[in-house]
Amino acid sequence: MKILCYTSFTFSYLNRARVLFQTLRQHRPDWELAALITDKPPEGFVFDPASEPFDRLVWASDLGIPNFQSWLFKHDVVEVCTAVKGPFLHQACDWGFDAVIYMDPDTAALSTLEPLEQWLSEHDILLTPHLIDPNDDHAAILDNDLSASRTGIFNLGFVAIRTTGEGARFARWWNDRLLNYCYDDMPNGLFVDQRWCDHVPALFDNVKIIRDPGYNVASWNLSTRKVSVEKDGRILVNGAPLRFWHFTKLGAVGDSMTKRYAGQNYPVYEIWSWYRRLVTAATDPAIPERWWAFGAYDDGRPIAKQDRVLYRERTDLQQAFPNPFASGRGSFQEWLEHEGA
């Protein structure tokens, strides 16, 4: 089976994406790996795709999204790195691959992912739910069960499709939804791409919900997943081989949630320590922390979230200011200072 695996990120997450690609290369050297980047390199950083651990580079600006500058401005960094996943997946269905897999950049493969290929030979769409076992503890229910109810039953840090049949139909539908409705707006039923995929088992046939505990291990499911290490070095989760781990929110928040639910399950901390070392080794000091080229107006002033929300809600502003990133006379920025206040 010919498989393309991609991830979506900005340069501030290049270190994590490098680790993902390095671990995928180790365990699935036959997969083609693609980087989808919605960013521009920061000044002083020399980006050489040929030296990176991926095979294919796609800039979000080359996906053919209509009115790209205007569309991009409507999203913050998390929203846009999620939104471009749909157009990429849809277009990749025509690139000659049997299947396409998406994985978040803060993920690492820890053993062979061959079972995914077997499932993709039998199913058109693969999804991993946040939870595969119910929590009984009150705090865990609040943190994990109710969180999944708000943000989506499935974690879209992973999705895999066949490029024909229902997989292709899903990719086209996801493309349309993410181009127009990929926002962090939970009061209106949106949490980027995840809430949309709550509909997938109802809208599409031949869907496989992966309930194997070795897939998409993360802080939100450690309350029901026990990690152990065998004498031969194999890492197991509830007795099943660990396949890939989603190291979401590397830092204080991730540490807090991991400690809360890992408790004395010490192999968890060893895995996190291993991942931190890899990310540190993959970090280029020339990339400023939290760098994103589209996080500021042309004059360098940061773009406030409310500026983006106002712009996306007003078609008259979109028509008047097709490049809302511009600064100076006649710009959206100037309009905000005088009219939008």
Side-chain angles (χ1 to χ4, degrees), residues 94-107:
D94 296 326
W95 295 351
F97 294 93
D98 299 305
V100 180
I101 297 171
Y102 173 81
M103 299 180 78
D104 265 356
D106 52 357
T107 302

Side-chain angles (χ1 to χ4, degrees), residues 11 14 18 41 45-54 57 284:
F11 281 105
L14 177 61
R18 284 169 168 167
F45 169 63
V46 178
F47 182 49
D48 177 16
S51 68
E52 298 291 341
F54 52 76
L57 169 63
D284 193 312

Side-chain angles (χ1 to χ4, degrees), residues 1 78 185 207:
M1 179 175 286
V78 174
D185 186 6
V207 178

